[in-house]
Amino acid sequence: MANMSPKKNPMPEQEPLVRNRNFEEVATGYTKEMAMDEATRCLNCKTKPCVSGCPVNVRIPEFITQVAEGNFEEAYKIITSTNSLPAVCGRVCPQENQCEGQCVRGKNGEPVGIGRMERFVADWHMANGKDQTVVPKSNGHKVAVIGSGPAGLTCAGDLAKDGYEVTIFETLHTPGGVLVYGIPEFRLPKAIVAREIENLKAMGVKVETNMVIGRSVSVDELFEQGFEAVFIGSGAGLPQFLHIPGENLLGVYSANEYLTRINLMKAYKKEYDTPIAKSKAVAVVGGGNVAMDSARCAMRLGAEKVYIVYRRSIEELPARAEEVHHAKEEQIDFRLLNNPVAIHGDENGRVSAIECVEMELGEPDASGRRRPVEKKGSNFKLDVDTVIIAIGTSPNPLIKSTTEGLETNQKGCIVADDSMATSRPGVFAGGDAVTGAATVIKAMGAGKTAAASIREYLNKK
Amino acid sequence: MYQIVTKRRLNDIETLMEIKAPAVAAKARAGQFIMFRLDEYGERVPLTIAGYDAERGTVTIIFQHMGRSTKMLAQMEEGDYISDFVGPMGKPTHMEGIERVMIVGGGVGCAIGYPIAKEMHDKGIYVEMIAGFKNKDLVILEDEMLAATDKLYLMTDDGSHGEKGFVTAKLQELLESGAKYDAVYAIGPPIMMKFTCATTKPFGVKTIVSLNPIMVDATGMCGGCRVTVGGEVKFACVDGPEFDGHQVDFDELMRRNAFYKPDEAEANEHICRLTGGVRHG
Ligand SMILES: Cc1cc2nc3c(=O)[nH]c(=O)nc-3n(C[C@H](O)[C@H](O)[C@H](O)COP(=O)(O)OP(=O)(O)OC[C@H]3O[C@@H](n4cnc5c(N)ncnc54)[C@H](O)[C@@H]3O)c2cc1C
Ligand SMILES: Cc1cc2nc3c(=O)[nH]c(=O)nc-3n(C[C@H](O)[C@H](O)[C@H](O)COP(=O)(O)OP(=O)(O)OC[C@H]3O[C@@H](n4cnc5c(N)ncnc54)[C@H](O)[C@@H]3O)c2cc1C
Ligand code: SF4
Ligand code: SF4
Ligand code: FES
């Protein structure tokens, strides 16, 4: 008989007012008992709606059945047959829109805690399992992967398993993409990402950091060097600004800069040289995961007051539900239906306030969301010394501008077909570089598809 | 890891190094720069490519001992390794359509001006250069600049070497006496570039400056390097570092570069007193 409790086993977490001053992981993870109990909530549905909600079709009820019986290693094998980064996905997937969003238990109460169990299984494997890395026999074909985010890592891993000689080229000094420079330690410990990269290296994947494709070498030169196919997983790293007065004042950051200083370059640790503003009051503009992460980092760095300024309402907040919930618990002040119109500075050019205008929701726009419209004359100021702009990113034009014949759309995204092939023969692309800012698991799905297409392309050649 | 193959102390405040970085050396061009990081705890710091040798796979950098990272780098020795060295970043210097050029270098800016002068001179462009320093002890690259120019004006603030006076005074004098250039390149501290641009403006001479805002990634990913040029916001690392000097908002650049000054002053105290220099391991 299934466990009919309408609620998920709650996730053990650090106390909100303790964790909002440290960078340790917020959610500490299920125990074995909690995971096994949660597993009994799954009805093992024949139609498996949850599986179709997952972009890489993790065999969800099958792995849950193993969890229920305490066969965690078996569960791990089932998950990793389609998802190579479960410790990451269990932590950061927007489950409410994906697997758990489709779970039948969600119709009457809370869905099965799929993400939490996935994380438990991956963590259990890291602590107790044995990685028997089989170094595949080389098939002599060389493939270049540009970018070491989830798209690149997945593509590289899949090809390496089949014996391809894969080299990953990464601009930054540490591989991992947004997983290392964007998503903070308290949501995704960097040791997990580092371990995934070590696993790839153990399989023979070469990782060359400090290589800017388009500057250090071009895509065409990679082919000249003997690579037979190239996968571009360069992400969507170009920050957008608001183009309002005062955006170049001292104390205005893009979320990318703020988060890179903190996560990649560890500004929060004394032994690191990285400087960062010592803020008292911070306004973060935006409503996605990036905005939540920036706000929560600012709080952890010691700010007394942190606002999220977002022009739509709570329903439209694009961030993961759990992150919004956590941010509120951590005393982040949500100023919804507010739009910034100017940033003001003091006589030294430092930020002193952000001026906003109130909004109300009008008719639905192209995205189907109700369009926010300004309430005339409702301007007001929030006194802050730091402003972080987290209103979105687009793909960096560097590769496009140095690769002849590589087609992009008006948004600067690389054009790729369903097989992830681009307009250039032998060049494949996927992840945020193709879709614009999306999710980890979608980028991984694209990396996987591209690996399969590259295999097929090289077999035909 | 990237090895320091040559180290030469140029004077009390500046050091030259050649770093083994074959991929960067193979692609480097005048006007471009690199980012280095000392070790796991280090910042990413931009430095101009002062020379490169594709055959030996080395890149030359010349840096002033400004703050924590450059002071620690200056304490490293030949044979030591630094953890990261990436480039070439930024757009190379545009040389098309230029037949006569004036390069104005201020202090360590001469190290940035020198490779531009050399590459132009090698191409057959007529190159004049005004190189300004505080005093005789701080003069760098004199022989190299002499070899790379058709005419070199060496200036010191106190007259202890070359002519006495600021670079802008010399430039003013030359322009007034009717000297014609297709372009003036001004490279040095922002304040010196600002005044050089003010000097050339009335003469309508195109003036190019090489901007040095604070940078993090130098790939266009953070926007920390944004500068205002002709009323538009540009990212110096990818759109530059060279821009039309008459359009640049230098006051904003100077303010932004001083943002972390209080923290950095404190950090520098710490190196001198606590670690005494480089962190090994
Ligand atoms: C702060 C933040 C929080 C997020 N939170 C979540 C979340 O909770 N859940 C979720 O699912 N998604 C989240 N996302 C989105 C998710 O991280 C991205 O969709 C995903 O990382 C995209 O993967 P990717 O491999 O396409 O690109 P990226 O992860 O961006 O990796 C691209 C890599 O390519 C490198 N690169 C770029 N250009 C070059 C070049 N020319 N040469 C060499 N290398 C290059 C970059 O340095 C980078 O390392 C978040 C994003 C951010 C920024
Ligand atoms: C494209 C580019 C090329 C450069 N080329 C050279 C070069 O060839 N040789 C050289 O000596 N320097 C060069 N610089 C400047 C150099 O990067 C900075 O001086 C660097 O910050 C020194 O790092 P630090 O840790 O030693 O000093 P920090 O402790 O970072 O800074 C010392 C002092 O300099 C100020 N400062 C910080 N960043 C900058 C900056 N970018 N410009 C001016 N002042 C700054 C700080 O506020 C502080 O007062 C270049 C900068 C750029 C952007
Ligand atoms: S990968 Fe993400 S979407 Fe798929 S099952 Fe796991 S948590 Fe759900
Ligand atoms: S939909 Fe929910 S209950 Fe049904 S199999 Fe999937 S996880 Fe189990
Ligand atoms: S240094 Fe980050 S965008 Fe220029």
Side-chain angles (χ1 to χ4, degrees), chain A residues 346-361:
Chain A
D346 63 15
E347 64 284 1
N348 300 318
R350 292 183 172 246
V351 172
S352 59
I354 184 165
E355 180 178 340
C356 304
V357 60
E358 289 176 20
M359 310 292 278
E360 52 198 356
L361 292 179

Side-chain angles (χ1 to χ4, degrees), chain A residues 288-438:
Chain A
N289 287 320
V290 185
M292 300 304 136
D293 285 344
S294 303
R296 296 169 74 194
C297 281
M299 186 61 96
R300 281 162 172 76
L301 284 175
E304 286 155 20
K305 190 78 202 166
V306 181
Y307 303 98
I308 291 266
V309 176
Y310 181 60
R311 65 197 184 108
R312 299 181 191 253
S313 71
I314 189 92
E315 281 94 60
E316 289 91 12
L317 272 179
R320 285 181 82 213
E322 189 179 339
E323 308 311 331
V324 176
H325 171 69
H326 282 157
K328 284 189 175 157
E329 284 185 339
E330 290 169 14
Q331 315 265 291
I332 309 289
D333 190 344
F334 282 68
R335 296 300 177 104
L336 304 171
L337 286 166
N338 285 167
N339 199 31
V341 291
I343 302 167
H344 300 283
D346 63 15
E347 64 284 1
N348 300 318
R350 292 183 172 246
V351 172
S352 59
I354 184 165
E355 180 178 340
C356 304
V357 60
E358 289 176 20
M359 310 292 278
E360 52 198 356
L361 292 179
E363 296 298 303
D365 63 12
S367 70
R369 299 182 298 181
R370 292 174 65 196
R371 184 199 303 275
V373 280
E374 248 176 51
K375 279 199 226 165
K376 280 250 153 43
S378 61
N379 297 40
F380 68 99
K381 280 186 191 167
L382 293 172
D383 290 337
V384 294
D385 54 24
T386 307
V387 173
I388 301 166
I389 314 286
I391 56 164
T393 54
S394 53
N396 190 313
L398 184 58
I399 294 180
K400 137 97 192 153
S401 65
T402 52
T403 311
E404 218 170 295
L406 185 70
E407 213 182 295
T408 53
N409 65 19
Q410 313 109 301
K411 289 187 179 152
C413 300
I414 298 173
V415 176
D417 64 15
D418 288 346
S419 73
M420 302 294 141
T422 68
S423 55
R424 277 281 304 263
V427 179
F428 298 77
D432 284 5
V434 167
T435 55

Side-chain angles (χ1 to χ4, degrees), chain B residues 36-109:
Chain B
F36 81 85
R37 195 178 71 129
L38 285 174
D39 58 17
E40 170 58 26
Y41 307 104
E43 275 192 80
R44 294 169 63 93
V45 179
L47 292 176
T48 305
I49 295 170
Y52 48 89
D53 184 332
E55 259 161 49
R56 290 171 60 229
T58 58
V59 174
T60 308
I61 48 175
I62 298 178
F63 56 93
Q64 196 172 346
H65 317 151
M66 278 292 282
R68 197 177 176 92
S69 307
T70 48
K71 282 182 184 158
M72 284 201 273
L73 181 60
Q75 292 183 33
M76 296 185 75
E77 299 301 337
E78 284 179 8
D80 287 349
Y81 289 85
I82 54 175
S83 137
D84 301 284
F85 194 85
V86 53
M89 305 301 210
K91 292 183 176 157
T93 302
H94 260 287
M95 303 184 185
E96 286 87 60
I98 292 178
E99 284 166 16
R100 287 177 65 85
V101 73
M102 166 56 87
I103 294 172
V104 184
V108 75

Side-chain angles (χ1 to χ4, degrees), chain A residues 88-89 91-94 98 145-153 169-172 174-184 187 208 211-215 217 231-237 255-256 259 263 288-291 293-294 320 323 393 396 398-399 402 430-444 446, chain B residues 219 221:
Chain A
V88 175
C89 296
R91 287 173 167 80
V92 306
C93 267
Q98 296 179 349
V145 169
I146 304 172
S148 59
L153 294 179
F169 295 95
E170 167 58 48
T171 295
L172 292 173
T174 308
V178 170
L179 307 182
V180 296
Y181 81 72
I183 303 181
R187 281 216 288 137
E208 289 204 32
M211 288 297 282
V212 196
I213 306 305
R215 290 261 193 252
V217 284
F231 173 73
I232 306 175
S234 51
N256 268 4
L259 292 171
N263 301 316
N289 287 320
V290 185
D293 285 344
S294 303
R320 285 181 82 213
E323 308 311 331
T393 54
N396 190 313
L398 184 58
I399 294 180
T402 52
D432 284 5
V434 167
T435 55
T439 63
V440 170
I441 191 69
K442 284 188 181 141
M444 288 177 57
Chain B
T219 64
M221 182 263 260

Side-chain angles (χ1 to χ4, degrees), chain A residues 50 53-58 60 63 79 83 89-90 93-95 98-100 114-115 118 441:
Chain A
C50 49
C54 167
V56 295
N57 303 125
V58 167
I60 295 165
F63 99 73
I79 298 172
N83 175 357
C89 296
C93 267
Q95 285 96 6
Q98 296 179 349
C99 52
E100 294 180 20
I114 302 170
E118 185 169 315
I441 191 69

Side-chain angles (χ1 to χ4, degrees), chain B residues 214-225 235-238:
Chain B
I214 296 174
M215 294 186 174
V216 179
D217 57 295
T219 64
M221 182 263 260
C222 77
C225 63
F235 290 4
C237 67
V238 286

